Amino acid sequence: MKSKKNRRCFWLSLFLFLWIIPLSAHAATLEVQGGGSAESIQSALARAAPGDTIHVYSGTYVGKIVIDKAVSLIGIGMPILDGGGEGDVVSIKGDGVTFKGFQVMGSGKRLQDSDAGIKLYSAGNVIEDNKLTNNLFGMYLLKSPHNTLRNNTIIGRPAKNKLQASKKDEAGEAGTYDILPSFEGESGDGIHLFAASHNLIENNEITDTRDGIYFNYAHDNRLLYNHIDGVRYAIHYMYSDDNYFEGNIATNNVAGAAPMYSKRITFRENVFAYNRGHRSFGVLFSNCNDCLAEGNVFFGNTRGALFDVSYHNTFRNNLVAANDIGIDLISSSGFNTFTENNFMDNMEQIAFRAGRIGEGNVFYEEGTGNYWNDYRGFDLDQNGIGDTPYLTGDIFTYLMNKAPAVRLFLNSPAAKALEFAENMFPVIEIPKAEDAYPLIKPVAIEINGQFHIEKNQVSNKVFGAYSLLMLLIAGMITARAFGVSSQGIKRVENYLRGGQK
Protein backbone atom coordinates (compact mmCIF):
# COMPACT_ATOMS: atom_id res chain seq x y z
CA MET A 1 0.00 0.00 0.00
CA LYS A 2 2.79 2.37 0.98
CA SER A 3 4.80 1.58 -2.15
CA LYS A 4 1.82 2.40 -4.38
CA LYS A 5 1.34 5.70 -2.61
CA ASN A 6 5.03 6.51 -2.91
CA ARG A 7 5.04 5.70 -6.63
CA ARG A 8 2.03 7.94 -7.15
CA CYS A 9 3.75 10.84 -5.35
CA PHE A 10 6.93 10.25 -7.40
CA TRP A 11 5.16 10.42 -10.75
CA LEU A 12 3.12 13.47 -9.69
CA SER A 13 6.29 15.28 -8.57
CA LEU A 14 8.05 14.36 -11.80
CA PHE A 15 5.14 15.66 -13.87
CA LEU A 16 5.10 19.00 -12.01
CA PHE A 17 8.89 19.29 -12.33
CA LEU A 18 8.84 18.64 -16.06
CA TRP A 19 5.92 21.08 -16.54
CA ILE A 20 7.35 23.96 -14.51
CA ILE A 21 10.98 23.80 -15.72
CA PRO A 22 10.16 24.49 -19.39
CA LEU A 23 8.06 27.48 -18.39
CA SER A 24 10.90 29.01 -16.39
CA ALA A 25 13.43 28.10 -19.05
CA HIS A 26 11.46 30.02 -21.67
CA ALA A 27 11.20 33.24 -19.61
CA ALA A 28 13.16 35.85 -21.56
CA THR A 29 14.59 39.32 -20.98
CA LEU A 30 14.03 41.92 -23.69
CA GLU A 31 15.73 45.32 -23.94
CA VAL A 32 14.53 48.72 -25.18
CA GLN A 33 16.85 51.71 -25.38
CA GLY A 34 17.43 54.98 -27.15
CA GLY A 35 14.32 56.94 -26.27
CA GLY A 36 12.12 58.42 -28.98
CA SER A 37 8.65 57.01 -29.44
CA ALA A 38 6.91 54.87 -26.83
CA GLU A 39 6.05 52.61 -29.76
CA SER A 40 9.39 50.85 -29.21
CA ILE A 41 8.22 49.81 -25.73
CA GLN A 42 4.82 48.78 -27.06
CA SER A 43 6.54 46.65 -29.71
CA ALA A 44 8.59 44.86 -27.05
CA LEU A 45 5.39 44.26 -25.07
CA ALA A 46 3.82 42.69 -28.15
CA ARG A 47 6.79 40.32 -28.55
CA ALA A 48 7.00 39.39 -24.88
CA ALA A 49 5.37 36.29 -23.43
CA PRO A 50 3.80 36.09 -19.93
CA GLY A 51 6.60 35.90 -17.36
CA ASP A 52 9.12 37.81 -19.48
CA THR A 53 11.06 40.87 -18.29
CA ILE A 54 11.55 44.00 -20.37
CA HIS A 55 14.37 46.39 -19.47
CA VAL A 56 13.80 49.95 -20.69
CA TYR A 57 16.94 52.10 -20.58
CA SER A 58 17.15 55.82 -19.82
CA GLY A 59 15.77 58.32 -22.31
CA THR A 60 12.47 60.04 -23.05
CA TYR A 61 9.78 57.91 -24.71
CA VAL A 62 6.85 59.97 -25.99
CA GLY A 63 3.44 58.33 -26.29
CA LYS A 64 1.17 55.89 -24.43
CA ILE A 65 1.59 52.21 -23.66
CA VAL A 66 -0.83 49.39 -22.77
CA ILE A 67 0.32 46.36 -20.76
CA ASP A 68 -2.09 43.45 -21.20
CA LYS A 69 -0.05 40.45 -20.01
CA ALA A 70 1.89 39.35 -16.93
CA VAL A 71 5.30 40.86 -17.67
CA SER A 72 7.81 42.87 -15.66
CA LEU A 73 8.55 46.29 -17.18
CA ILE A 74 11.66 47.61 -15.45
CA GLY A 75 13.18 51.06 -15.98
CA ILE A 76 16.99 51.26 -15.93
CA GLY A 77 18.23 54.76 -15.10
CA MET A 78 14.69 56.20 -14.62
CA PRO A 79 13.53 56.51 -18.24
CA ILE A 80 10.75 59.04 -18.92
CA LEU A 81 7.36 58.07 -20.31
CA ASP A 82 5.69 61.25 -21.62
CA GLY A 83 2.05 60.89 -22.63
CA GLY A 84 2.08 64.14 -24.57
CA GLY A 85 -1.02 65.50 -22.85
CA GLU A 86 -3.61 62.98 -24.04
CA GLY A 87 -5.34 60.14 -22.16
CA ASP A 88 -3.63 57.72 -19.79
CA VAL A 89 0.13 57.40 -20.12
CA VAL A 90 0.29 53.77 -18.88
CA SER A 91 -2.73 51.44 -18.96
CA ILE A 92 -2.35 48.13 -17.12
CA LYS A 93 -4.99 45.62 -18.24
CA GLY A 94 -3.25 42.30 -17.55
CA ASP A 95 -3.02 40.63 -14.13
CA GLY A 96 0.32 40.12 -12.40
CA VAL A 97 2.25 43.02 -13.96
CA THR A 98 5.32 44.57 -12.34
CA PHE A 99 5.97 48.19 -13.32
CA LYS A 100 9.09 49.68 -11.75
CA GLY A 101 11.63 52.48 -12.07
CA PHE A 102 9.98 54.99 -14.46
CA GLN A 103 9.20 58.69 -14.59
CA VAL A 104 5.64 59.00 -15.83
CA MET A 105 4.36 62.40 -16.92
CA GLY A 106 2.05 64.27 -19.29
CA SER A 107 -1.35 62.60 -19.00
CA GLY A 108 -4.44 64.22 -20.47
CA LYS A 109 -6.46 66.73 -18.46
CA ARG A 110 -10.03 65.48 -18.93
CA LEU A 111 -11.59 64.98 -15.51
CA GLN A 112 -14.57 63.20 -17.06
CA ASP A 113 -12.16 60.55 -18.41
CA SER A 114 -10.07 60.43 -15.23
CA ASP A 115 -6.86 60.76 -17.25
CA ALA A 116 -3.96 59.35 -15.23
CA GLY A 117 -0.26 58.71 -15.28
CA ILE A 118 -0.96 55.04 -14.50
CA LYS A 119 -4.43 53.49 -14.75
CA LEU A 120 -5.05 49.96 -13.50
CA TYR A 121 -7.92 47.76 -14.67
CA SER A 122 -6.56 44.45 -13.36
CA ALA A 123 -5.43 42.57 -10.24
CA GLY A 124 -2.26 41.41 -8.55
CA ASN A 125 0.04 44.10 -9.96
CA VAL A 126 3.08 45.68 -8.31
CA ILE A 127 3.75 49.38 -9.01
CA GLU A 128 6.88 50.57 -7.24
CA ASP A 129 9.82 53.00 -7.28
CA ASN A 130 8.27 55.33 -9.86
CA LYS A 131 8.02 59.13 -10.04
CA LEU A 132 4.79 60.58 -11.41
CA THR A 133 4.68 64.29 -12.23
CA ASN A 134 2.40 66.64 -14.13
CA ASN A 135 -0.48 64.17 -14.56
CA LEU A 136 -4.15 64.82 -13.86
CA PHE A 137 -4.45 61.76 -11.59
CA GLY A 138 -1.25 60.10 -10.47
CA MET A 139 -2.64 56.56 -10.30
CA TYR A 140 -6.23 55.50 -10.86
CA LEU A 141 -7.44 52.05 -9.81
CA LEU A 142 -10.69 51.14 -11.57
CA LYS A 143 -12.26 48.04 -10.01
CA SER A 144 -8.73 46.80 -9.57
CA PRO A 145 -8.09 44.62 -6.46
CA HIS A 146 -5.08 43.01 -4.75
CA ASN A 147 -2.46 45.44 -6.07
CA THR A 148 0.64 46.80 -4.31
CA LEU A 149 1.61 50.46 -4.77
CA ARG A 150 4.95 51.02 -3.07
CA ASN A 151 7.74 53.64 -2.85
CA ASN A 152 6.31 55.95 -5.51
CA THR A 153 6.60 59.75 -5.60
CA ILE A 154 3.57 61.62 -6.94
CA ILE A 155 3.64 65.37 -7.58
CA GLY A 156 0.50 67.05 -8.89
CA ARG A 157 0.15 69.27 -11.93
CA PRO A 158 1.44 72.77 -11.15
CA ALA A 159 -0.77 75.79 -11.61
CA LYS A 160 0.28 78.30 -14.25
CA ASN A 161 1.48 80.71 -11.62
CA LYS A 162 4.14 78.11 -10.73
CA LEU A 163 5.27 77.81 -14.33
CA GLN A 164 8.36 80.00 -14.13
CA ALA A 165 9.74 78.06 -11.17
CA SER A 166 9.07 74.72 -12.82
CA LYS A 167 10.68 75.74 -16.13
CA LYS A 168 14.07 75.90 -14.44
CA ASP A 169 13.88 72.21 -13.59
CA GLU A 170 11.88 70.85 -16.53
CA ALA A 171 12.88 72.97 -19.51
CA GLY A 172 14.21 69.95 -21.38
CA GLU A 173 11.09 67.78 -20.97
CA ALA A 174 8.80 67.47 -23.95
CA GLY A 175 5.04 67.87 -23.97
CA THR A 176 4.78 69.65 -20.63
CA TYR A 177 3.74 73.27 -20.64
CA ASP A 178 0.81 73.23 -23.02
CA ILE A 179 -1.21 71.08 -20.59
CA LEU A 180 -0.66 73.04 -17.39
CA PRO A 181 -3.88 73.81 -15.49
CA SER A 182 -5.02 77.40 -15.11
CA PHE A 183 -5.76 76.86 -11.43
CA GLU A 184 -4.99 74.18 -8.86
CA GLY A 185 -8.61 73.00 -8.65
CA GLU A 186 -8.16 71.32 -12.02
CA SER A 187 -5.86 68.72 -10.48
CA GLY A 188 -6.95 65.16 -9.81
CA ASP A 189 -5.98 62.95 -6.88
CA GLY A 190 -2.59 61.47 -6.20
CA ILE A 191 -4.05 57.94 -5.95
CA HIS A 192 -7.73 57.33 -6.67
CA LEU A 193 -9.45 54.02 -5.94
CA PHE A 194 -12.92 53.34 -7.34
CA ALA A 195 -14.52 50.05 -6.29
CA ALA A 196 -10.98 48.74 -5.74
CA SER A 197 -10.51 46.58 -2.65
CA HIS A 198 -7.76 44.60 -0.88
CA ASN A 199 -4.95 46.85 -2.11
CA LEU A 200 -1.74 47.69 -0.23
CA ILE A 201 -0.49 51.30 -0.51
CA GLU A 202 2.76 51.94 1.34
CA ASN A 203 5.74 54.31 1.55
CA ASN A 204 4.55 56.71 -1.14
CA GLU A 205 5.11 60.49 -1.12
CA ILE A 206 2.33 62.70 -2.49
CA THR A 207 2.29 66.50 -2.85
CA ASP A 208 0.30 69.20 -4.65
CA THR A 209 -2.62 67.05 -5.81
CA ARG A 210 -6.35 67.56 -5.19
CA ASP A 211 -6.73 64.79 -2.59
CA GLY A 212 -3.76 62.69 -1.63
CA ILE A 213 -5.41 59.24 -1.61
CA TYR A 214 -9.12 58.98 -2.34
CA PHE A 215 -11.19 55.85 -1.64
CA ASN A 216 -14.61 55.64 -3.30
CA TYR A 217 -16.59 52.45 -2.63
CA ALA A 218 -13.19 50.88 -1.90
CA HIS A 219 -13.22 48.43 1.00
CA ASP A 220 -10.58 46.46 2.93
CA ASN A 221 -7.51 48.38 1.81
CA ARG A 222 -4.30 48.90 3.82
CA LEU A 223 -2.54 52.27 3.84
CA LEU A 224 0.89 52.23 5.50
CA TYR A 225 3.66 54.81 6.06
CA ASN A 226 2.80 57.28 3.31
CA HIS A 227 3.72 60.99 3.53
CA ILE A 228 1.19 63.46 2.10
CA ASP A 229 1.70 67.23 2.08
CA GLY A 230 0.03 70.29 0.55
CA VAL A 231 -3.25 68.77 -0.69
CA ARG A 232 -6.94 69.20 0.13
CA TYR A 233 -7.75 65.98 2.05
CA ALA A 234 -4.65 63.83 2.53
CA ILE A 235 -6.67 60.63 3.06
CA HIS A 236 -10.29 60.71 1.97
CA TYR A 237 -12.80 57.88 2.40
CA MET A 238 -16.27 57.97 0.83
CA TYR A 239 -18.58 54.97 1.27
CA SER A 240 -15.52 52.83 1.98
CA ASP A 241 -15.71 50.38 4.89
CA ASP A 242 -13.26 48.22 6.84
CA ASN A 243 -10.13 50.11 5.80
CA TYR A 244 -6.93 50.25 7.84
CA PHE A 245 -4.22 52.92 7.84
CA GLU A 246 -1.11 53.15 9.99
CA GLY A 247 2.05 55.23 10.26
CA ASN A 248 1.09 57.87 7.69
CA ILE A 249 2.13 61.53 8.02
CA ALA A 250 -0.28 64.20 6.74
CA THR A 251 0.92 67.80 7.04
CA ASN A 252 -0.05 71.25 5.68
CA ASN A 253 -3.35 70.11 4.16
CA VAL A 254 -6.95 71.27 4.54
CA ALA A 255 -7.58 68.00 6.40
CA GLY A 256 -5.21 65.23 7.33
CA ALA A 257 -7.93 62.62 6.93
CA ALA A 258 -11.62 62.79 6.10
CA PRO A 259 -13.50 59.53 6.66
CA MET A 260 -17.03 60.20 5.37
CA TYR A 261 -20.08 57.94 5.10
CA SER A 262 -17.89 54.99 6.04
CA LYS A 263 -17.75 52.37 8.80
CA ARG A 264 -15.19 50.39 10.74
CA ILE A 265 -12.09 52.33 9.74
CA THR A 266 -9.05 51.77 11.96
CA PHE A 267 -6.19 54.25 12.04
CA ARG A 268 -3.16 53.84 14.26
CA GLU A 269 0.06 55.79 14.86
CA ASN A 270 -0.53 58.39 12.16
CA VAL A 271 0.51 62.06 12.39
CA PHE A 272 -1.88 64.88 11.44
CA ALA A 273 -0.03 68.17 11.83
CA TYR A 274 -0.11 71.82 10.69
CA ASN A 275 -3.39 71.40 8.81
CA ARG A 276 -4.48 75.01 9.15
CA GLY A 277 -7.15 77.27 7.72
CA HIS A 278 -10.65 78.49 8.51
CA ARG A 279 -12.12 75.04 7.82
CA SER A 280 -9.11 72.81 8.50
CA PHE A 281 -8.88 69.67 10.62
CA GLY A 282 -6.46 66.99 11.64
CA VAL A 283 -9.25 64.48 11.06
CA LEU A 284 -12.82 65.19 9.97
CA PHE A 285 -15.28 62.47 11.02
CA SER A 286 -18.45 62.99 9.00
CA ASN A 287 -21.19 60.37 9.06
CA CYS A 288 -18.53 57.92 10.13
CA ASN A 289 -19.37 55.15 12.60
CA ASP A 290 -17.71 52.34 14.56
CA CYS A 291 -14.16 53.56 13.90
CA LEU A 292 -11.04 53.28 16.05
CA ALA A 293 -8.43 56.05 16.32
CA GLU A 294 -5.52 54.87 18.44
CA GLY A 295 -1.97 56.11 19.04
CA ASN A 296 -2.20 59.06 16.63
CA VAL A 297 -0.71 62.55 16.92
CA PHE A 298 -2.88 65.64 16.29
CA PHE A 299 -0.52 68.60 16.47
CA GLY A 300 -0.75 72.26 15.51
CA ASN A 301 -4.05 72.03 13.58
CA THR A 302 -6.91 74.51 13.55
CA ARG A 303 -9.03 71.65 14.92
CA GLY A 304 -7.44 68.42 16.03
CA ALA A 305 -10.52 66.34 15.20
CA LEU A 306 -14.11 67.22 14.38
CA PHE A 307 -17.03 64.80 14.88
CA ASP A 308 -20.16 65.52 12.84
CA VAL A 309 -23.07 63.04 12.74
CA SER A 310 -20.69 60.26 13.80
CA TYR A 311 -21.53 57.51 16.28
CA HIS A 312 -19.92 54.72 18.30
CA ASN A 313 -16.32 55.70 17.56
CA THR A 314 -13.45 55.03 19.96
CA PHE A 315 -10.76 57.71 20.34
CA ARG A 316 -8.03 56.21 22.50
CA ASN A 317 -4.38 56.77 23.44
CA ASN A 318 -3.88 59.77 21.11
CA LEU A 319 -1.81 62.93 21.59
CA VAL A 320 -3.89 66.06 20.95
CA ALA A 321 -1.55 69.02 21.39
CA ALA A 322 -1.07 72.68 20.38
CA ASN A 323 -4.26 72.84 18.31
CA ASP A 324 -6.60 75.82 18.38
CA ILE A 325 -9.38 73.37 19.29
CA GLY A 326 -8.47 69.88 20.46
CA ILE A 327 -11.79 68.14 19.75
CA ASP A 328 -14.73 69.88 18.08
CA LEU A 329 -17.66 67.71 19.13
CA ILE A 330 -20.87 68.67 17.39
CA SER A 331 -23.98 67.57 19.28
CA SER A 332 -25.21 65.60 16.24
CA SER A 333 -22.55 63.00 17.16
CA GLY A 334 -23.19 60.54 19.94
CA PHE A 335 -21.97 57.52 21.90
CA ASN A 336 -18.32 58.22 21.16
CA THR A 337 -15.70 57.24 23.75
CA PHE A 338 -12.59 59.33 24.49
CA THR A 339 -10.16 57.65 26.86
CA GLU A 340 -6.43 57.57 27.72
CA ASN A 341 -5.65 60.54 25.47
CA ASN A 342 -3.24 63.38 26.23
CA PHE A 343 -4.86 66.82 25.78
CA MET A 344 -2.01 69.31 26.03
CA ASP A 345 -1.68 73.03 25.37
CA ASN A 346 -4.72 73.38 23.11
CA MET A 347 -6.30 76.84 23.12
CA GLU A 348 -9.60 75.06 23.70
CA GLN A 349 -9.49 71.44 24.79
CA ILE A 350 -13.06 70.49 23.80
CA ALA A 351 -15.54 72.68 21.91
CA PHE A 352 -19.33 72.29 21.97
CA ARG A 353 -20.44 74.79 19.37
CA ALA A 354 -24.12 73.80 19.46
CA GLY A 355 -24.32 74.47 23.20
CA ARG A 356 -24.64 70.82 24.27
CA ILE A 357 -22.48 67.75 24.43
CA GLY A 358 -24.41 65.15 22.47
CA GLU A 359 -26.02 62.01 23.81
CA GLY A 360 -23.77 59.23 25.04
CA ASN A 361 -20.38 60.90 24.48
CA VAL A 362 -18.07 59.99 27.40
CA PHE A 363 -14.52 60.94 28.41
CA TYR A 364 -13.64 57.90 30.50
CA GLU A 365 -14.02 54.14 30.39
CA GLU A 366 -13.74 51.52 33.13
CA GLY A 367 -12.32 53.92 35.69
CA THR A 368 -9.76 55.54 33.38
CA GLY A 369 -10.04 59.00 31.82
CA ASN A 370 -7.65 61.28 29.95
CA TYR A 371 -4.69 63.48 30.78
CA TRP A 372 -5.49 67.23 30.71
CA ASN A 373 -2.54 69.56 31.21
CA ASP A 374 -4.83 72.28 32.62
CA TYR A 375 -6.30 70.03 35.33
CA ARG A 376 -5.95 71.73 38.73
CA GLY A 377 -6.99 68.87 41.02
CA PHE A 378 -4.98 66.71 43.42
CA ASP A 379 -4.18 63.02 43.81
CA LEU A 380 -3.99 62.62 47.56
CA ASP A 381 -4.29 58.82 47.48
CA GLN A 382 -1.59 58.69 44.75
CA ASN A 383 -3.45 56.20 42.55
CA GLY A 384 -2.73 58.18 39.38
CA ILE A 385 -6.34 59.44 39.13
CA GLY A 386 -7.40 62.95 40.12
CA ASP A 387 -9.52 63.18 43.27
CA THR A 388 -12.01 65.54 41.62
CA PRO A 389 -13.47 65.33 38.09
CA TYR A 390 -12.13 67.43 35.25
CA LEU A 391 -14.78 69.60 33.64
CA THR A 392 -14.11 70.83 30.12
CA GLY A 393 -15.22 74.29 29.14
CA ASP A 394 -15.18 77.61 30.96
CA ILE A 395 -16.81 81.01 30.70
CA PHE A 396 -14.02 82.42 28.54
CA THR A 397 -14.26 79.55 26.02
CA TYR A 398 -18.02 80.01 25.98
CA LEU A 399 -17.59 83.72 25.18
CA MET A 400 -15.00 82.95 22.47
CA ASN A 401 -17.53 80.76 20.68
CA LYS A 402 -20.11 83.53 20.90
CA ALA A 403 -17.74 86.35 19.93
CA PRO A 404 -14.46 85.22 18.28
CA ALA A 405 -12.85 88.62 18.86
CA VAL A 406 -12.65 87.77 22.57
CA ARG A 407 -9.80 85.39 21.63
CA LEU A 408 -7.53 88.45 21.75
CA PHE A 409 -7.57 88.11 25.56
CA LEU A 410 -6.65 84.39 25.50
CA ASN A 411 -4.44 83.34 28.45
CA SER A 412 -4.47 86.91 29.76
CA PRO A 413 -4.92 87.79 33.47
CA ALA A 414 -8.40 89.06 32.59
CA ALA A 415 -9.36 85.64 31.18
CA LYS A 416 -7.99 83.87 34.26
CA ALA A 417 -9.84 86.24 36.56
CA LEU A 418 -13.07 85.66 34.65
CA GLU A 419 -12.57 81.89 34.85
CA PHE A 420 -11.96 82.10 38.62
CA ALA A 421 -15.04 84.26 39.17
CA GLU A 422 -17.23 81.89 37.15
CA ASN A 423 -15.99 78.91 39.18
CA MET A 424 -16.77 80.70 42.45
CA PHE A 425 -20.09 82.25 41.39
CA PRO A 426 -21.52 80.40 38.35
CA VAL A 427 -24.26 82.49 36.77
CA ILE A 428 -24.21 81.22 33.16
CA GLU A 429 -25.03 77.64 32.19
CA ILE A 430 -22.06 76.47 30.15
CA PRO A 431 -21.97 73.07 28.36
CA LYS A 432 -19.29 70.95 30.00
CA ALA A 433 -18.09 67.40 29.56
CA GLU A 434 -16.99 65.55 32.66
CA ASP A 435 -13.96 63.32 32.93
CA ALA A 436 -14.62 61.55 36.22
CA TYR A 437 -11.18 59.89 36.26
CA PRO A 438 -8.63 62.44 34.99
CA LEU A 439 -5.09 61.10 34.75
CA ILE A 440 -2.36 62.83 36.72
CA LYS A 441 0.46 61.86 34.34
CA PRO A 442 0.47 61.78 30.52
CA VAL A 443 -0.06 58.47 28.77
CA ALA A 444 3.02 57.02 27.05
CA ILE A 445 2.46 57.39 23.30
CA GLU A 446 4.98 56.34 20.67
CA ILE A 447 5.42 59.11 18.08
CA ASN A 448 6.40 58.41 14.49
CA GLY A 449 10.15 59.02 14.31
CA GLN A 450 9.85 60.75 10.91
CA PHE A 451 7.78 63.57 12.38
CA HIS A 452 9.62 66.55 13.83
CA ILE A 453 8.05 69.66 15.33
CA GLU A 454 8.80 72.70 13.22
CA LYS A 455 11.20 75.09 14.95
CA ASN A 456 9.07 78.14 14.25
CA GLN A 457 6.09 76.79 16.16
CA VAL A 458 5.10 78.57 19.37
CA SER A 459 2.89 77.23 22.12
CA ASN A 460 -0.61 78.59 22.61
CA LYS A 461 0.40 79.96 25.99
CA VAL A 462 3.20 81.96 24.42
CA PHE A 463 0.76 83.12 21.76
CA GLY A 464 -1.65 84.25 24.49
CA ALA A 465 1.08 86.20 26.27
CA TYR A 466 2.11 87.77 22.97
CA SER A 467 -1.51 88.78 22.29
CA LEU A 468 -1.75 90.37 25.72
CA LEU A 469 1.49 92.29 25.14
CA MET A 470 0.22 93.57 21.79
CA LEU A 471 -3.04 94.60 23.44
CA LEU A 472 -1.19 96.57 26.14
CA ILE A 473 0.96 98.31 23.52
CA ALA A 474 -2.17 99.18 21.52
CA GLY A 475 -3.75 100.57 24.70
CA MET A 476 -0.70 102.71 25.43
CA ILE A 477 -0.68 104.09 21.89
CA THR A 478 -4.41 104.84 22.09
CA ALA A 479 -4.00 106.52 25.49
CA ARG A 480 -1.12 108.59 24.17
CA ALA A 481 -3.17 109.62 21.16
CA PHE A 482 -6.07 110.69 23.34
CA GLY A 483 -3.65 112.56 25.65
CA VAL A 484 -2.19 114.55 22.76
CA SER A 485 -5.68 115.21 21.44
CA SER A 486 -6.92 116.48 24.85
CA GLN A 487 -3.93 118.80 25.17
CA GLY A 488 -4.73 120.27 21.76
CA ILE A 489 -8.35 120.86 22.80
CA LYS A 490 -7.19 122.65 25.96
CA ARG A 491 -4.93 124.94 23.93
CA VAL A 492 -7.84 125.87 21.64
CA GLU A 493 -10.09 126.57 24.59
CA ASN A 494 -7.47 128.78 26.19
CA TYR A 495 -6.96 130.64 22.96
CA LEU A 496 -10.69 131.34 22.59
CA ARG A 497 -10.80 132.65 26.15
CA GLY A 498 -7.94 135.00 25.33
CA GLY A 499 -5.52 133.12 27.51
CA GLN A 500 -2.44 131.11 26.50
CA LYS A 501 -1.90 130.92 22.77
Side-chain angles (χ1 to χ4, degrees), residues 115-132:
D115 291 338
I118 302 173
K119 186 171 287 183
L120 289 86
Y121 300 84
S122 53
N125 305 294
V126 177
I127 314 298
E128 62 182 346
D129 299 328
N130 302 289
K131 182 176 181 180
L132 294 90

Side-chain angles (χ1 to χ4, degrees), residues 150-412:
R150 180 190 296 127
N151 298 334
N152 301 286
T153 298
I154 301 174
I155 303 173
R157 300 172 66 239
K160 283 184 178 176
N161 60 10
K162 299 178 182 177
L163 179 56
Q164 295 303 319
S166 66
K167 276 184 178 178
K168 296 177 183 177
D169 299 325
E170 301 178 359
E173 297 177 355
T176 303
Y177 305 118
D178 56 335
I179 58 170
L180 291 173
S182 58
F183 58 94
E184 293 182 11
E186 289 181 331
S187 295
D189 306 316
I191 300 174
H192 186 110
L193 297 89
F194 177 76
S197 300
H198 301 286
N199 295 286
L200 172 62
I201 304 172
E202 62 177 343
N203 291 313
N204 301 285
E205 292 193 11
I206 303 174
T207 57
D208 292 329
T209 61
R210 182 174 61 187
D211 285 348
I213 305 175
Y214 182 88
F215 298 83
N216 192 13
Y217 297 98
H219 311 301
D220 294 291
N221 295 286
R222 292 176 63 81
L223 190 61
L224 308 177
Y225 306 105
N226 301 279
H227 192 172
I228 306 172
D229 183 90
V231 305
R232 184 183 66 166
Y233 297 159
I235 303 166
H236 191 183
Y237 294 97
M238 289 291 290
Y239 307 103
S240 298
D241 302 333
D242 300 297
N243 284 286
Y244 180 90
F245 66 104
E246 176 183 319
N248 303 281
I249 298 178
T251 53
N252 303 303
N253 309 294
V254 175
M260 298 180 174
Y261 301 96
S262 302
K263 294 177 288 187
R264 297 179 301 278
I265 295 177
T266 299
F267 48 109
R268 288 191 170 100
E269 300 177 12
N270 303 281
V271 174
F272 309 102
Y274 312 125
N275 301 294
R276 302 199 60 81
H278 177 62
R279 294 287 294 170
S280 290
F281 319 89
V283 174
L284 166 62
F285 294 87
S286 179
N287 291 270
C288 191
N289 306 321
D290 302 303
C291 297
L292 170 63
E294 185 175 48
N296 302 283
V297 173
F298 301 79
F299 186 89
N301 306 287
T302 302
R303 293 172 179 81
L306 181 141
F307 289 78
D308 183 17
V309 198
S310 296
Y311 292 85
H312 301 287
N313 299 291
T314 299
F315 194 87
R316 178 175 62 217
N317 202 219
N318 302 287
L319 171 62
V320 184
N323 305 284
D324 292 2
I325 297 174
I327 302 292
D328 198 343
L329 189 57
I330 297 177
S331 60
S332 58
S333 297
F335 302 99
N336 299 292
T337 301
F338 302 85
T339 181
E340 296 183 82
N341 302 290
N342 294 332
F343 291 94
M344 304 175 67
D345 200 22
N346 302 291
M347 288 187 183
E348 190 175 349
Q349 304 280 39
I350 310 292
F352 305 106
R353 287 184 295 157
R356 52 196 182 89
I357 298 169
E359 184 180 2
N361 293 311
V362 293
F363 290 85
Y364 55 87
E365 185 179 45
E366 298 179 354
T368 302
N370 304 274
Y371 172 77
W372 313 84
N373 74 317
D374 56 347
Y375 177 62
R376 298 293 178 261
F378 298 95
D379 180 21
L380 298 179
D381 56 4
Q382 296 188 355
N383 66 347
I385 305 294
D387 297 329
T388 57
Y390 174 85
L391 297 176
T392 66
D394 54 56
I395 182 63
F396 187 76
T397 299
Y398 177 81
L399 291 176
M400 275 200 305
N401 288 328
K402 295 291 184 181
V406 175
R407 187 180 293 269
L408 184 63
F409 296 91
L410 184 70
N411 291 320
S412 69

Side-chain angles (χ1 to χ4, degrees), residues 45-166:
L45 286 166
R47 297 194 309 271
D52 285 353
T53 297
I54 302 172
H55 287 164
V56 179
Y57 289 87
S58 60
T60 298
Y61 300 81
V62 179
K64 301 179 288 185
I65 63 171
V66 177
I67 308 173
D68 58 2
K69 62 188 73 169
V71 297
S72 296
L73 193 64
I74 310 297
I76 308 297
M78 292 299 288
I80 298 171
L81 292 177
D82 188 339
E86 293 186 7
D88 306 314
V89 184
V90 179
S91 299
I92 299 179
K93 298 185 176 181
D95 295 339
V97 171
T98 296
F99 183 85
K100 178 178 180 178
F102 287 87
Q103 297 184 59
V104 181
M105 58 178 292
S107 79
K109 58 180 180 179
R110 291 173 61 85
L111 281 169
Q112 60 269 40
D113 294 335
S114 304
D115 291 338
I118 302 173
K119 186 171 287 183
L120 289 86
Y121 300 84
S122 53
N125 305 294
V126 177
I127 314 298
E128 62 182 346
D129 299 328
N130 302 289
K131 182 176 181 180
L132 294 90
T133 61
N134 199 25
N135 301 292
L136 183 61
F137 289 84
M139 300 188 204
Y140 195 105
L141 281 67
L142 181 61
K143 300 181 181 179
S144 182
H146 298 287
N147 299 287
T148 298
L149 315 180
R150 180 190 296 127
N151 298 334
N152 301 286
T153 298
I154 301 174
I155 303 173
R157 300 172 66 239
K160 283 184 178 176
N161 60 10
K162 299 178 182 177
L163 179 56
Q164 295 303 319
S166 66

